[in-house]
Amino acid sequence: MLRTNKRWIYIAMPIFFFWFFGQIDKLGISIIQTDQGFLTDLGLTGADKNAKIGMITFIFTISYALSNIFWGFIIDKLGARKTGIIGLVVWAITMVIGGLSTSYEMFILSRVILGIGEGMMIPICGKFISNWFNQRELGRAQSSWLAGNYLGPACGAIILTLVIATFHWQAAFFVLAAFNILIVLPMFIFFTRDTPEEHPRLDQRELAYIRQSDSKVSTKKQSFVQDYRYWIVWFGMLVSSFLFFGISIWLPTYLVGAKGFTREAMTGITSLSWLFALGFVLICGFLADKTKRPSLLATILFLLTASFLTAAILSPQPVMAGVCMGLAMGTQGGVFHLSNLFMVKFSTPETAGRAAGLMGFTNILGGFSSYIMGWMVDIAGGDFGPSIVMLIIAAGLGFVAYLFTLKREAAELKIENLPPQQVIF
């Protein structure tokens, strides 16, 4: 069993930790920005402090999204392994710069560089998954790294809170740099290869399984740019990015500032919210492979997002409002998982990097979300209500977009379930 399942060790495990620590690097700022020492040291004070805080994530996601485009082409040429090694070194350097920052401008510069370095995360994983896994296990394979995507921040909220409380906010950045250099980088160097054919310790039976196809109809897959469903998913990811960054970046501040949570209670709700996201990822990974209706699942998730956000506004209980916000964030974790599944489905191993790069570009709207929400909270005198209504409207747009994919998905499933002799070539 172990001999024919090494892809889960050589690829799934490294990219799990790749995202586990990468997401703490990226989203740990939501915890750090609640520390008064951090705000004071970088001059994040005054009537427009929330807009300034939002700008930190805005500038990061802009560089992150734009870099996704060129990273996709680089990965298709250079390979996922070498690109990942380069990116990890860049991350470590930017974490050190962030910890040494003595001004707001210097810290912003470190986030720009981090965004460029982390822009290759989605394309790298798309390339690895496309090359290393059988098409019947794409949902589970995607879940393996998306689990790190959400388990990382769940654990990171606790880790960063303890580090800041024990030392200082700067120490949090130095600890994250050490994680990348000492844990993730060696995994990429010694475990991964760009293709299973290049790996010297892969069993031939496993290689045969990876390359096995279960397609009933032998047709040449069209370019992903010609498939209208890819662009619906792309739009859905724009909306999902807007929702996810808006909720995740501001959730700790919302809990402390608007709902009066203590730092300990805030950490608990924040960690729980990331675990909600992990739960939706695992459930969607299973259901996507089981039902073969990922578009229907994404449609339902957007509807749930709007429902949870509405409940958060209407709930008079702070704990219930916080949990509903966390569940709304969790549903978008499921959408993110399904979107990356679609990306692999609609592309080929040769074009997976570019398809993922364009998909990763959608994170640009997350930056606008974080800034706009900060600005709206400032002008509303600290009230998060108007900004949450904005998120509900965005969830409605995602729901409507995915409705246009359901008819074709149902038709394809019907053809797939026909006996072989009834399939028309």
Side-chain angles (χ1 to χ4, degrees), residues 167-219:
F167 302 102
H168 199 265
W169 66 265
Q170 288 98 332
F173 289 95
F174 301 145
V175 168
L176 293 176
F179 283 149
N180 287 319
I181 292 297
L182 300 179
I183 298 177
V184 190
L185 185 59
M187 285 186 174
F188 263 69
I189 293 173
F190 298 110
F191 284 10
T192 68
R193 296 293 185 275
D194 287 322
T195 65
E197 287 83 358
E198 296 175 29
H199 210 294
R201 294 183 295 278
L202 196 73
D203 189 279
Q204 289 300 310
R205 288 175 295 174
E206 183 170 5
L207 176 59
Y209 174 74
I210 292 171
R211 296 302 178 223
Q212 177 185 343
S213 173
D214 66 350
S215 177
K216 292 181 180 179
V217 184
S218 178
T219 57

Side-chain angles (χ1 to χ4, degrees), residues 250-305:
W250 285 106
L251 180 60
T253 304
Y254 167 79
L255 295 173
V256 173
K259 295 300 178 181
F261 281 75
T262 64
R263 177 178 290 274
E264 292 74 18
M266 174 273 291
T267 301
I269 293 290
T270 301
S271 294
L272 182 63
S273 301
W274 287 105
L275 292 177
F276 285 152
L278 174 60
F280 276 105
V281 165
L282 297 177
I283 291 170
C284 288
F286 171 78
L287 291 178
D289 286 343
K290 190 74 173 178
T291 67
K292 301 188 184 299
R293 295 298 306 271
S295 292
L296 177 60
L297 291 174
T299 307
I300 294 171
L301 287 172
F302 273 115
L303 183 61
L304 286 175
T305 302

Side-chain angles (χ1 to χ4, degrees), residues 180-402:
N180 287 319
I181 292 297
L182 300 179
I183 298 177
V184 190
L185 185 59
M187 285 186 174
F188 263 69
I189 293 173
F190 298 110
F191 284 10
T192 68
R193 296 293 185 275
D194 287 322
T195 65
E197 287 83 358
E198 296 175 29
H199 210 294
R201 294 183 295 278
L202 196 73
D203 189 279
Q204 289 300 310
R205 288 175 295 174
E206 183 170 5
L207 176 59
Y209 174 74
I210 292 171
R211 296 302 178 223
Q212 177 185 343
S213 173
D214 66 350
S215 177
K216 292 181 180 179
V217 184
S218 178
T219 57
K220 184 177 180 181
K221 184 185 288 189
Q222 65 179 331
S223 171
F224 69 89
V225 298
Q226 297 175 315
D227 194 327
Y228 77 92
R229 293 172 301 171
Y230 175 87
W231 295 108
I232 290 178
V233 173
W234 190 86
F235 175 78
M237 270 289 281
L238 273 177
V239 174
S240 182
S241 173
F242 190 85
L243 288 164
F244 188 79
F245 277 94
I247 300 172
S248 63
I249 292 299
W250 285 106
L251 180 60
T253 304
Y254 167 79
L255 295 173
V256 173
K259 295 300 178 181
F261 281 75
T262 64
R263 177 178 290 274
E264 292 74 18
M266 174 273 291
T267 301
I269 293 290
T270 301
S271 294
L272 182 63
S273 301
W274 287 105
L275 292 177
F276 285 152
L278 174 60
F280 276 105
V281 165
L282 297 177
I283 291 170
C284 288
F286 171 78
L287 291 178
D289 286 343
K290 190 74 173 178
T291 67
K292 301 188 184 299
R293 295 298 306 271
S295 292
L296 177 60
L297 291 174
T299 307
I300 294 171
L301 287 172
F302 273 115
L303 183 61
L304 286 175
T305 302
S307 300
F308 287 133
L309 289 172
T310 302
I313 291 179
L314 298 178
S315 175
Q317 297 295 327
V319 173
M320 183 59 67
V323 170
C324 286
M325 289 290 287
L327 285 168
M329 190 179 91
T331 58
Q332 289 307 302
V335 173
F336 183 70
H337 165 61
L338 294 171
S339 299
N340 282 278
L341 177 63
F342 285 127
M343 180 275 299
V344 175
K345 178 181 178 180
F346 297 148
S347 64
T348 65
E350 293 74 27
T351 62
R354 277 162 281 177
L358 283 173
M359 196 69 73
F361 175 76
T362 59
N363 282 280
I364 195 169
L365 211 58
F368 283 96
S369 175
S370 65
Y371 180 75
I372 292 171
M373 283 191 68
W375 174 75
M376 291 181 71
V377 171
D378 280 336
I379 64 174
D383 182 12
F384 277 82
S387 59
I388 295 177
V389 170
M390 175 184 66
L391 296 179
I392 294 172
I393 295 171
L397 292 175
F399 171 77
V400 172
Y402 266 96

